[in-house]
Amino acid sequence: KKKASIEAASEVSSFSERVLHQVVRSSMIAFSSIRGLARRLKRPLPNVLRNVFCLEAQELGLRLENDSKTELEKARESENKGYSDWTPITDKAIANALDNEKEGAGSRCIFVGNDSSPSINVEQLAMECYEEGSLPASDMVSGDSAVVGGWVGWHDEGGYVRAIFRVLSSAPLLGVDWGCSSSLAPGDETLFCSPYQGAPFDLHVGFGLNTEIDDSSAIAHSAIPGFYVRQRQKIERFLNQLTETNPQGLCDAIFRAIEARLIFGLDNNRKDPSLERDLKNLRTLSFIAAGLGGQLLASVF
């Protein structure tokens, strides 16, 4: 069984490496999928892509490794063993969890919080730490003007920021027609097969340049241009305009986009599943957009 398992793992690794060398150069799949395949090789990502030009990573400035490496990362890179790639800087806090009566899958740790909330989950604990000032750690704060403590926020897995992106970019960038967008460019209309789509079908397709594969071991073909390639000028124009928009302009843009969808839906009796939620969160979305500012939103988008 052990020998069969090793052979199966070797076949998976060999297959993943062949696929990577074919699809990375043609940008036929997104970088997130490239990284998923690279994990199966159990080698550091920079080593996997060392001799393979990844256009999406180059174009978007995606990092493959940390600027300052730990001893474990250095050892993995030198031995070419064990997967590793870039990891974001995170705040850390230590807390003792209470015993949870529930066991097995789905059970969560609970912690002692403030008097008003004696039993809280890990997300609520993190928000309390930011509010009382125990996070971020003192060695992670730079500058005399850094604000420690008093932070209030939400834990929604980035849902509000994604909602802001959807609201602001649906008509001018994604081509979703709610009666408030200009005429679509040639080819855009083929990306929508139903009025109930939330985005064009090729939104999450890889970079996708027209590229001929020179490797004799691969079949020569021409990749279909992806969303970013065809919409690059429109995307850059949208992000530049967003960067220069002041807080009031961001609030106005969110209001006008949601208002246009509401009017269009009423006039055409068309259902918009996310409209009710956006109307309910209109003030919250506007507040977050104004607080983050156009430059930060453009960087996140």
Side-chain angles (χ1 to χ4, degrees):
K1 290 184 177 180
K2 185 176 180 180
K3 182 179 180 181
S5 177
I6 294 175
E7 290 178 352
S10 177
E11 289 179 3
V12 170
S13 178
S14 177
F15 172 77
S16 299
E17 190 152 18
R18 290 198 306 271
V19 171
L20 277 172
H21 280 270
Q22 291 183 23
V23 302
V24 172
R25 287 176 293 173
S26 63
S27 303
M28 294 175 64
I29 62 175
F31 180 77
S32 57
S33 300
I34 293 173
R35 188 169 56 182
L37 282 172
R39 286 180 181 275
R40 296 182 176 273
L41 301 179
K42 298 181 179 180
R43 303 202 307 265
L45 183 60
N47 291 10
V48 174
L49 300 180
R50 178 165 294 165
N51 299 320
V52 183
F53 179 69
C54 182
L55 189 56
E56 182 180 0
Q58 181 73 21
E59 184 72 18
L60 302 182
L62 303 178
R63 287 170 281 188
L64 305 182
E65 58 186 340
N66 296 324
D67 296 331
S68 57
K69 302 176 185 177
T70 63
E71 293 299 323
L72 177 60
E73 290 172 334
K74 292 179 181 178
R76 285 178 172 177
E77 186 172 353
S78 61
E79 297 175 4
N80 200 25
K81 293 182 179 179
Y83 180 81
S84 64
D85 64 2
W86 176 82
T87 53
I89 298 174
T90 56
D91 294 327
K92 298 179 181 179
I94 299 176
N96 293 322
L98 300 176
D99 291 335
N100 194 341
E101 296 180 356
K102 297 181 180 180
E103 296 182 356
S107 61
R108 303 192 65 191
C109 295
I110 57 175
F111 303 86
V112 176
N114 296 330
D115 295 338
S116 59
S117 53
S119 179
I120 59 177
N121 57 37
V122 65
E123 293 84 8
Q124 293 168 327
L125 176 66
M127 288 188 286
E128 280 194 0
C129 291
Y130 283 109
E131 184 177 6
E132 66 186 18
S134 57
L135 286 180
S138 57
D139 58 343
M140 298 297 293
V141 178
S142 59
D144 298 333
S145 60
V147 178
V148 177
W151 291 99
V152 178
W154 301 270
H155 179 272
D156 66 342
E157 304 290 351
Y160 282 129
V161 175
R162 289 197 300 272
I164 293 172
F165 170 79
R166 173 174 48 77
V167 169
L168 291 179
S169 66
S170 288
L173 188 59
L174 302 182
V176 181
D177 185 11
W178 292 109
C180 55
S181 62
S182 57
S183 58
L184 299 177
D188 286 1
E189 64 275 4
T190 63
L191 304 177
F192 289 88
C193 301
S194 166
Y196 302 102
Q197 285 178 232
F201 279 136
D202 68 339
L203 178 60
H204 299 293
V205 176
F207 194 95
L209 282 181
N210 286 326
T211 306
E212 294 295 334
I213 306 300
D214 297 327
D215 191 349
S216 58
S217 63
I219 299 175
H221 65 282
S222 181
I224 299 173
F227 180 85
Y228 179 74
V229 173
R230 293 185 298 100
Q231 305 287 349
R232 180 171 180 174
Q233 292 184 350
K234 185 186 294 185
I235 292 172
E236 292 179 350
R237 184 167 59 250
F238 170 78
L239 294 178
N240 289 335
Q241 291 175 350
L242 188 64
T243 301
E244 298 173 356
T245 304
N246 59 35
Q248 183 60 56
L250 293 172
C251 295
D252 293 341
I254 291 175
F255 175 82
R256 287 195 300 267
I258 295 178
E259 181 186 41
R261 287 165 51 201
L262 176 62
I263 295 173
F264 183 78
L266 293 174
D267 291 344
N268 295 271
N269 195 26
R270 181 178 294 182
K271 195 172 183 179
D272 183 352
S274 60
L275 178 58
E276 184 177 349
R277 184 170 61 251
D278 291 341
L279 286 169
K280 180 181 178 181
N281 295 326
L282 176 57
R283 289 188 176 183
T284 302
L285 296 178
S286 300
F287 169 75
I288 294 175
L292 294 176
Q295 184 173 359
L296 182 54
L297 283 177
S299 299
V300 173
F301 293 172

